[in-house]
Structure formats: C-alpha cells, structure tokens
Amino acid sequence: MTDAQDTETHDWIDEIVFDEHGLVPAIAQDHASGRILMFAWMNREAIAQTVAQGEAVYFSRSRQRLWHKGEQSGHTQKVHEIRLDCDGDVLLLSIEQIGHIACHTGRESCFYRRLEDGHWQVVDEVRKSPGEIYGKRD
C-alpha cells in the first residue's frame, strides 16, 4: 500500500480532512467485484493501524474505541488499496473480505435493502446467522 517511511512519519495523514470529532468516513469496497460492502468511521490512529497491519481498523462511535474489523467474527478485511477523494474528506478502502461477510447481520454487504415501490426490500440473503457468528447475546 505504502512504503515503511510514509507509514512511520504519517505526514500523509495530515492531508486528510477530519470532522469536528476527529473522524473521516470510510467506504469498504470489494477488491474483486467492486461491490460496496460497508461504511464506517476512521480516526488518525485507525488509519495508521490499517496501513501498518494491512487489515481494516475502524473507530466505533458507539463503543468509543478502535475496532479491528473481524475481531469477534473473524471476518477481517485485507486492505489492497486506500484512496482519498477530491475534497480529502472520504476514504475508499479496496479490500478482500475474509469469509465473504461484512455485515453484522451475516450478509455479504451492509447495503442489503433496495427501495422498490416506496418500500425497503431485503435483496441479499443471510449467509450465516449472527448467533452463529457472535454466539448468543443476553
């Protein structure tokens, strides 16, 4: 993705425009098919760890901590490329989704509902139930 010197200095991170909470939107796209799999947030540390590890690390707003994608499910994301949009305020991660499940609902993509005739229709099947992935939750 980038050379070791760039990873160590992080000067390239300064070119990213973060919001007032220190976050930037990140879109994960399947490297092979081009399908959009998910959307998440990243902070400086998440971006630096993603580049250093070669696997996607996000910032969970609900948990207020870094979240290595797949840390519970095993469905990690191998990062092939990171792109920055023209305004510098959105990241696009070209990834290989390990296990072919990106969504916590057990689907390939978080974008599994399509608007049809004024209603949201589920158009993607569950590949593995959340209970099988995460275990029973109390």
Side-chain angles (χ1 to χ4, degrees), residues 13-57:
I13 291 181
D14 293 334
E15 296 181 42
I16 300 171
V17 178
F18 294 91
D19 71 9
E20 64 276 8
H21 305 290
L23 301 174
V24 63
I27 300 163
Q29 182 178 35
D30 185 89
H31 179 70
S33 71
R35 184 172 187 194
I36 302 299
L37 300 179
M38 58 174 278
F39 165 84
W41 296 94
M42 297 177 97
N43 62 9
R44 292 178 69 90
E45 188 178 354
I47 296 165
Q49 284 191 25
T50 295
V51 170
Q53 296 176 23
E55 289 188 347
V57 176

Side-chain angles (χ1 to χ4, degrees), residues 19-111:
D19 71 9
E20 64 276 8
H21 305 290
L23 301 174
V24 63
I27 300 163
Q29 182 178 35
D30 185 89
H31 179 70
S33 71
R35 184 172 187 194
I36 302 299
L37 300 179
M38 58 174 278
F39 165 84
W41 296 94
M42 297 177 97
N43 62 9
R44 292 178 69 90
E45 188 178 354
I47 296 165
Q49 284 191 25
T50 295
V51 170
Q53 296 176 23
E55 289 188 347
V57 176
Y58 300 105
F59 182 81
S60 170
R61 295 182 305 163
S62 61
R63 294 177 273 196
Q64 287 294 298
R65 67 170 181 82
L66 292 181
W67 157 48
H68 183 180
K69 176 66 176 156
E71 65 189 25
Q72 288 183 298
S73 67
H75 301 137
T76 59
Q77 295 176 341
K78 180 180 177 189
V79 179
H80 288 265
E81 180 179 70
I82 300 175
R83 291 184 180 229
L84 182 63
D85 82 327
C86 58
D87 294 324
D89 61 359
V90 178
L91 296 174
L92 177 64
L93 281 65
S94 177
I95 60 101
E96 175 187 348
Q97 181 64 59
I98 305 305
H100 304 287
I101 296 174
C103 186
H104 74 281
T105 65
R107 292 177 174 87
E108 176 185 19
S109 171
C110 294
F111 298 95

Side-chain angles (χ1 to χ4, degrees), residues 118-131:
H119 301 282
W120 293 109
Q121 301 295 322
V122 173
V123 295
D124 290 352
E125 78 281 356
V126 172
R127 291 177 174 232
K128 193 172 189 181
S129 76

Side-chain angles (χ1 to χ4, degrees), residues 2-20:
T2 186
D3 66 33
Q5 185 179 10
D6 284 344
T7 302
E8 292 171 11
T9 63
H10 303 298
D11 290 340
W12 50 269
I13 291 181
D14 293 334
E15 296 181 42
I16 300 171
V17 178
F18 294 91
D19 71 9
E20 64 276 8

